[in-house]
Every structure is written in structure tokens, then in C-alpha cells.
Amino acid sequence: MIGGLFMYNHKGEVLISRVFRDDIGRNAVDAFRVNVIHARQQVRSPVTNIARTSFFHIKRANIWVAAVTKQNVNAAMVFEFLHKMVEVMQAYFGKISEDNIKNNFVLIYEILDEILDYGYPQNTDTGILKTFITQQGVKSQSKEETAQITSQVTGQIGWRREGIKYRRNELFLDVLESVNLLMSPQGQVLSSHVAGRIVMKSYLSGMPECKFGINDKMVVKASSTKKPEMPKKSKKKGNQGPPIAIDDLTFHQCVKLTKFDSK
């Protein structure tokens, strides 16, 4: 059956190497690299015979996956196994790439131990394998995730795409509050706090700048030990009540904090 299994990058460097039988030596690794990957003429056949050794290979992106044997095996079964093995690896860590293989080489060897027994293919069902191999694969960041990180670092707008248009410009605001109170049997208040959030649903075209105001005055505590400074009472009728002290604030990234602190 399969005597060895190797995975190469586009340069011919060995990423994964597993030999199952003694009749396959390390020279088989170099033979495939020289005669197939670095061949002067493009090798179109997926089966290559070199020195009475058969190489069955498939290619995914820039990764070569080769099964080696010196026996007269069923070629269709070998290729079906190679494709199943690639599907299993994709189910664990996504795209087959050099970075993903390097980051998950321990997981790949564990998968090979489960799906191959002395060169004989075993169960390749992903659902069953995940009951035995519970290790999670490490996925490399995609271009979209990298672009998102870049936009956050450079200050580009990443939470709203350009060119948004609506027939009707509408904006909905919801104020959600929850009161938590703990009292003793004698009616004494032991602890109390109010948690709230403002949820906004925007149907505005383009990239408008919205300004919202709160009727009550707010005082943000600098720390838990330091009391907030009380502003001077205004003579206006609308500002007769005491200010509202807020312990903690969390804003969406679209909020301009400099304007909030100044105003």
C-alpha cells in the first residue's frame, strides 16, 4: 500500500514527511523534487515512476501532496485518499497553504496517524475524526481580516462601507435601561446601580455626521476613589436638578471622543 506521504511547497521544501514502510528511503523525497517539482518540462501526468517507485501527486495552490509506493496499488484509491485527506485538513484549519501547514504540523501528523495505519487508509470521515481529534486548527488571517486590522491602525473607516443609499433617510434610537437593587430585610439599600445603553439603527445615505444631545448633565468619574466634581448650578430653569454621575462609558468606534470630552 502507501509507503510514504510527503507535502512540499512551491520551492520543493518538505513541509510534512511520514514514511510507513521500510522500502521507502529518504532519497524518494529528493527524487520527486528533482523529477517533478524542478523538472525542466512541465509534468502533466499525476503518476510518475522513478527507479521502480511510483509517485501519486496532487497540487493545491502552491502545495504538492505526494503518496509514494513501490507496490502495484490501486491508483484510483490512492487519489481518492489524497483528496479526502485534503478535505479533512481544510475542515480543521481552512485553506491549504504553507503558513497553515507550518502552524498546524502537529495536528497534521495526528490526522495522518488516524487516517493511515501502516500505509492502509482508514476512516476519513470528518465528523468521526473530530470525535477523536479534538484539537482546534490554527487559521492564518485572510486578506479581509488583514485589511480590517490595517484600517483600524491607519484610521480608515471600517464599520461602514462607501456608497450606501436609502430611499428614505431615517434614524432610530432606543434607550435600554436595567435597574439592579439589593435590599436587606429591614428595607435598607445594600447596593444599587443602573446599567443602560443607547442602540441606534441608521438608514442614512452616505457618510453623514450626526450630533445627539442629552437633557441631563453627566459627570464621568475619573476613578472609583475620587468623587466627581459637581458643576456650578446654572440659573436656567432646565438645569435645576443634580448631575448624573456615570462610572463607566463605552462608545462605538464611530464616536468622536474628542468632541464628547470637550462638550
Side-chain angles (χ1 to χ4, degrees), residues 182-190:
L182 179 61
M183 298 183 63
S184 65
Q186 292 76 22
Q188 182 181 1
V189 179
L190 301 178

Side-chain angles (χ1 to χ4, degrees), residues 157-160 198 200 249-257:
I157 297 175
W159 63 86
R160 185 179 175 89
I198 301 176
M200 181 177 68
L249 286 176
T250 303
F251 292 99
H252 188 266
Q253 54 184 340
C254 67
V255 177
K256 297 181 180 179
L257 299 179

Side-chain angles (χ1 to χ4, degrees), residues 6-16 28-39 59 62-64 98:
F6 308 106
M7 298 183 71
Y8 303 81
N9 61 6
H10 65 284
K11 297 180 181 179
E13 299 173 350
V14 180
L15 303 177
I16 299 295
V29 177
D30 299 328
F32 183 81
R33 180 193 300 112
V34 174
N35 293 276
V36 179
I37 299 178
H38 294 165
K59 189 177 181 182
N62 293 327
I63 302 299
W64 297 76
E98 183 176 353

Side-chain angles (χ1 to χ4, degrees), residues 231-257:
K232 296 181 181 179
K233 292 184 178 180
S234 176
K235 295 182 181 180
K236 295 181 181 181
K237 295 182 180 180
N239 296 326
Q240 292 180 355
I244 300 175
I246 298 180
D247 297 331
D248 189 17
L249 286 176
T250 303
F251 292 99
H252 188 266
Q253 54 184 340
C254 67
V255 177
K256 297 181 180 179
L257 299 179

